[in-house]
Amino acid sequence: MEAAATQSVRRTQLMPMVIVAILFFVLGFATWLNGSLMPYLTQMLQLNTTQAALILFSFYIAVTFTALPSAWLIRKVGYKNGMALGIGVMMLAGLLYIPAAKTQIFAVFLFAQLVIGAGQTLLQTAVNPYVVRLGPEETAAVRVSIMGILNKGAGVVAPLVFTALVIGSLSAPAGAELTQGQIDTMADRMVLPYLGLAIFLGLLALAVRFSPLPELVEEAQPDAASASQSQLKVVLAKPALVLGVVALFVYVAVEVIAGDTIGMYALSLGVERYSVMTSYTMVCMVVGYCLGIALIPRVLSQQTALAISAVLGVILTLAVVFGNNESYAIANTVLVPFGGVALPDTLMFIALLGLANAIVWPAVWPLALSGLGHLTSIGSALLIMGIAGGAFGPLLWGLFSDTGLGQQGAYFVMLPCYAFILFYAVKGHKLKSWK
């Protein structure tokens, strides 16, 4: 009888988890599509590197001003409706890319990026609690890791889909100045795929709205508004949390630089398949996630894994900055024997940064939230704000690229980021007070 009841509970949890898994894949697809969109728009609109970095800035900056309103909206309408609304906003953004392509106005593309960033923030704010709450607490970490793999797996697929549907057989030379006819062709190739994306998101929003997802019931929090200021003061007095927010900020900065600028850098080197380069970084991230699941905590502690990741990040960053673009040794060893295309070693080093980055997010969270108790929710909200690093990291890379260092030299901006992550792994997470 007890076994039958357990099986019934598992069946009840299965459909919601499948829906949540689909939503995490959609989140990853929308996020890592930027890696192909950025060099494509750069070539189509003849952008400089700083202008191209604004494509990522407008997407990630949405987190800074929509995260808290998203939480308020979800409290008003519920988690399931919040998910549907988030997908609906992303659908609207998909439609905005069509007039952006037709007019070829950069500002319209940036607005579409801002809207889709706001939509994915609302969706992410609503869907993340389900991963923890739909199932036993002791297996929550496994569910989080699975969703992370789905998210990064979407990052492998998104550039391939973009290349197949948007770029197709376009034969414009990488890095070449285009004629107006070629630009018009590139713009027109965006219309149908983004219309299809909008229709898919609209149908998904309706499916979620009328799905059997159970509504999450929040614990009553009387006098929350009056207590929030004092709670914030208390958590800001905890160095492990505050430094954890900074660690996540610089982490997301390097994650987005490695994942979304690799296509831009490949374009500058004349690599024809620049639009699929994000897939290389995402494959390395998926491998890193799997290693994390296998090794932590059986072989490595979270702190040790975080320190190793930071050191590897420093080594690979130096290899990118001082690497030889004429050398194809790594690609010839790793890719060509398996039917892959040879690529400059510097591109391979950027892709391998995905391996260094994979463990950072899941390692920082528990270290930053340790011992917060009833303040965990406000601490989590502050940590989420660290996603804004994805707006500023690539922008800084773009600015240095256009000031004489070039794109390769500008990757040095990652060095202080990895240095801070190393500090947090070794000492920062242990600090109990600012004195």
Side-chain angles (χ1 to χ4, degrees):
M1 191 74 176
E2 185 177 340
T6 302
Q7 287 184 342
S8 176
V9 170
R10 287 177 178 171
R11 283 195 297 269
T12 304
Q13 294 172 346
L14 178 61
M15 182 55 67
M17 287 305 299
V18 169
I19 295 171
V20 168
I22 293 172
L23 296 183
F24 266 89
F25 188 88
V26 169
L27 280 169
F29 192 95
T31 300
W32 298 111
L33 194 61
N34 291 324
S36 297
L37 184 65
M38 184 181 178
Y40 190 79
L41 292 183
T42 297
Q43 195 174 26
M44 187 177 89
L45 302 178
Q46 302 293 285
L47 306 175
N48 62 34
T49 310
T50 303
Q51 289 172 323
L54 291 174
I55 296 169
L56 302 179
F57 181 87
S58 57
F59 180 88
Y60 284 97
I61 199 64
V63 177
T64 62
F65 63 84
T66 58
L68 294 179
S70 294
W72 174 85
L73 180 62
I74 289 166
R75 285 196 297 270
K76 293 293 183 182
V77 304
Y79 282 88
K80 185 165 75 170
N81 288 335
M83 292 181 201
L85 285 172
I87 302 169
V89 173
M90 294 172 68
M91 178 200 72
L92 174 62
L95 294 174
L96 286 174
Y97 287 100
I98 298 174
K102 286 296 187 182
T103 61
Q104 298 171 23
I105 297 175
F106 185 45
V108 183
F109 278 109
L110 294 182
F111 181 66
Q113 285 286 96
L114 189 70
V115 174
I116 200 168
Q120 69 93 27
T121 301
L122 176 56
L123 176 57
Q124 188 163 216
T125 305
V127 76
N128 272 290
Y130 269 88
V131 184
V132 176
R133 303 274 288 275
L134 282 179
E137 184 176 345
E138 58 270 18
T139 59
V142 175
R143 294 193 297 276
V144 170
S145 297
I146 292 172
M147 297 306 163
I149 291 173
L150 283 169
N151 185 277
K152 307 310 177 188
V156 177
V157 174
L160 301 176
V161 173
F162 184 91
T163 300
L165 297 181
V166 178
I167 297 180
S169 58
L170 286 175
S171 57
E177 187 170 343
L178 307 180
T179 65
Q180 187 58 48
Q182 289 173 314
I183 291 172
D184 291 340
T185 300
M186 292 183 76
D188 290 341
R189 291 293 293 266
M190 295 184 68
V191 173
L192 285 180
Y194 274 94
L195 177 60
L197 176 64
I199 292 172
F200 169 77
L201 290 172
L203 294 174
L204 182 61
L206 290 173
V208 170
R209 173 62 183 84
F210 297 104
S211 70
L213 275 175
E215 189 57 67
L216 298 182
V217 179
E218 293 289 343
E219 297 178 3
Q221 295 182 350
D223 301 322
S226 61
S228 60
Q229 189 172 358
S230 61
Q231 288 180 341
L232 183 61
K233 185 177 180 180
V234 172
V235 296
L236 290 179
K238 296 183 178 295
L241 173 66
V242 176
L243 296 175
V245 173
V246 179
L248 286 186
F249 181 91
V250 297
Y251 155 69
V252 178
V254 295
E255 180 192 41
V256 175
I257 289 174
D260 286 341
T261 71
I262 186 173
M264 275 287 295
Y265 184 49
L267 179 65
S268 73
L269 296 178
V271 175
E272 290 189 5
R273 290 181 61 80
Y274 62 85
S275 59
V276 301
M277 291 308 304
T278 295
S279 295
Y280 287 76
T281 307
M282 291 300 104
V283 166
C284 291
M285 287 203 77
V286 171
V287 171
Y289 264 98
C290 294
L291 287 174
I293 293 173
L295 299 178
I296 303 172
R298 298 179 186 89
V299 179
L300 300 173
S301 67
Q302 292 173 145
Q303 300 94 312
T304 302
L306 186 60
I308 292 173
S309 296
V311 171
L312 181 58
V314 169
I315 294 171
L316 289 172
T317 298
L318 291 172
V320 172
V321 173
F322 298 105
N324 183 358
N325 289 322
E326 303 302 320
S327 174
Y328 289 69
I330 297 177
N332 285 333
T333 302
V334 179
L335 297 179
V336 175
F338 296 95
V341 178
L343 296 167
D345 284 351
T346 49
L347 282 176
M348 296 302 298
F349 291 136
I350 296 172
L352 285 169
L353 282 168
L355 186 63
N357 294 338
I359 303 300
V360 180
W361 179 274
V364 169
W365 272 79
L367 295 176
L369 295 177
S370 178
L372 283 187
H374 70 284
L375 297 173
T376 297
S377 60
I378 191 169
S380 299
L382 290 175
L383 289 171
I384 284 290
M385 300 294 283
I387 295 175
F392 294 97
L395 184 61
L396 195 60
W397 172 82
L399 289 170
F400 279 111
S401 295
D402 289 334
T403 55
L405 286 174
Q407 292 186 17
Q408 182 177 2
Y411 280 105
F412 90 91
V413 300
M414 296 190 292
L415 284 176
C417 298
Y418 285 116
F420 186 88
I421 294 170
L422 180 59
F423 160 75
Y424 187 76
V426 174
K427 184 177 181 180
H429 76 278
K430 299 177 182 178
L431 298 178
K432 301 301 182 183
S433 73
W434 293 109
K435 296 179 180 179

